[in-house]
Amino acid sequence: MRGLAQGTEASVDHGHHSGMWVPGAPPTWGRMFLPHLDPWSVLAGLSVIGLLVYLAAVVRVRRSGVAWPWWRTAAWVAGSASLFAVTGTWLNGYSMVLFSVHMAQHMVLSLITPLLLLVGAPVTLALRTLPRGRGAAGAPRALLLEALHSRFARFVAHPLFTVPLFIASLYGVYFTPLFDVLMGSPVGHQLMLAHFVVTGLLFFGPILGQDPWPRTLSYPGRMLELFLPVPFHAFFGVSIMMAGSLVVRTFTDPPAGWGIDPLTDQGVAGGIVWAFGELPTVLVLAVVFLSWAGSEERRGRTLDRAAERDGDADLAAYNARLKAMAQRD
């Protein structure tokens, strides 16, 4: 793969890229997902490490005789793959010079990757895998539980924090000078990409409710929180599409010979934002609705079992009360 890359890649420095790697050949679907790792591929490295740790934990849980759903493992693998696909490939290099590619990267990191990772229920898996008890052996589990119940965790999991943060990740980044500043350094770029992932995790965590979370929401509350940012997201996409001038300076000067018109590419970027908003919302809505239906079914079974144990004592007491009232009348 490196041999293929050497023939077409170049270290392109467009001034504001501060030496960050950009492919020398124009983008094609074939080149987009060629692996490329450099010292700044932090998230790509974390995706591989996270995948290996998760799979090792699943093996350990299964060996202890506890079942772990295959679809949770599949979701984590898909989430890790999506993270690597947009940070450990040529796509990451193209995202430095093309707004459309960057926006596709942003949407995957904030909407697709977090959803898949959360469905994997990593916190539940960690709590089942980490040893209990006092002392050094039980310290990691104790620290995890302490972190989940901390005041800081409750603060960052509150809808009044997560919803504005989710919206600010669009308007606060792209409609201020912040984006150009962050894109100007490898560290700033990595922090921005990490911010997109963390924002998605914090926003969707309590809505999906697959793991123990610092705050829990009712099912109607989850649906309300899910739909709150939708109009803001759609308006942002449309405003980028309709803009008559460039919104950010970073993508003003695409490589010569690639035949890219920056304003047209910006319109494509806006279309990507607009289109991406629908699919994750529908998927999350389906998960929340199925969870809601499942919880009602479990509640019904619990009440049925209780009725069997006490011989429908509640129902008998209710009927007796009705009978007594009728006799009084």
Side-chain angles (χ1 to χ4, degrees):
M1 194 61 74
R2 295 298 300 169
L4 172 65
Q6 283 165 4
T8 48
E9 72 178 68
S11 218
V12 181
D13 187 358
H14 290 270
H16 47 254
H17 296 136
S18 299
M20 285 182 280
W21 180 83
V22 174
T28 64
W29 284 111
R31 293 182 185 128
M32 195 76 80
F33 297 105
L34 291 173
H36 178 88
L37 296 173
D38 58 39
W40 299 107
S41 304
V42 179
L43 290 181
L46 287 175
S47 72
V48 176
I49 294 168
L51 177 61
L52 295 174
V53 171
Y54 187 97
L55 292 177
V58 170
V59 170
R60 182 169 178 174
V61 163
R62 289 231 166 128
R63 279 182 180 165
S64 69
V66 178
W68 185 255
W70 65 268
W71 49 270
R72 290 209 184 279
T73 306
W76 185 270
V77 170
S80 302
S82 71
L83 181 54
F84 187 90
V86 297
T87 60
T89 62
W90 283 36
L91 186 145
N92 187 49
Y94 288 125
S95 77
M96 301 304 302
V97 290
L98 297 177
F99 201 0
S100 57
V101 179
H102 163 82
M103 201 54 87
Q105 181 187 44
H106 178 169
M107 293 299 105
V108 169
L109 291 176
S110 62
L111 298 175
I112 304 300
T113 299
L115 286 177
L116 291 168
L117 295 180
L118 287 165
V119 171
V123 177
T124 301
L125 182 61
L127 290 172
R128 290 186 185 178
T129 311
L130 294 170
R132 299 167 183 266
R134 300 179 182 278
R141 193 175 190 278
L143 285 171
L144 175 59
L145 286 169
E146 197 174 307
L148 282 172
H149 296 119
S150 67
R151 291 177 69 176
F152 175 76
R154 287 180 61 78
F155 172 76
V156 298
H158 198 285
L160 290 177
F161 179 82
T162 59
V163 174
L165 180 69
F166 195 75
I167 296 168
S169 294
L170 296 172
Y171 294 87
V173 170
Y174 296 97
F175 289 163
T176 70
L178 182 60
F179 180 79
D180 290 319
V181 172
L182 292 172
M183 288 291 279
S185 78
V187 174
H189 183 238
Q190 287 299 312
L191 284 173
M192 178 170 60
L193 299 186
H195 165 80
F196 294 152
V197 178
V198 171
T199 299
L201 291 170
L202 288 175
F203 177 73
F204 288 116
I207 295 173
L208 282 173
Q210 301 294 300
D211 260 332
W213 210 255
R215 285 184 184 272
T216 53
L217 293 167
S218 66
Y219 287 100
R222 291 184 198 184
M223 292 188 177
L224 176 63
E225 188 174 343
L226 175 63
F227 282 112
L228 276 175
V230 169
F232 295 97
H233 191 101
F235 181 77
F236 174 80
V238 171
S239 62
I240 294 283
M241 286 168 70
M242 304 297 288
S245 59
L246 295 179
V247 176
V248 293
R249 288 188 302 107
T250 298
F251 304 111
T252 304
D253 184 28
W258 285 16
I260 304 289
D261 173 50
L263 200 56
T264 304
D265 187 60
Q266 178 174 280
V268 174
I272 287 170
V273 177
W274 185 76
F276 249 96
E278 306 302 319
L279 181 63
T281 303
V282 172
L283 290 175
V284 175
L285 195 60
V287 171
V288 172
F289 188 77
L290 288 171
S291 299
W292 193 353
S295 74
E296 289 297 315
E297 190 181 322
R298 283 194 300 274
R299 185 169 173 271
R301 283 202 301 266
T302 302
L303 290 173
D304 288 345
R305 282 197 297 270
E308 286 169 15
R309 279 198 306 272
D310 58 22
D312 275 335
D314 287 345
L315 186 61
Y318 179 69
N319 287 335
R321 198 157 61 248
L322 287 177
K323 190 176 179 182
M325 287 167 65
Q327 284 171 349
R328 278 203 304 274
D329 291 343

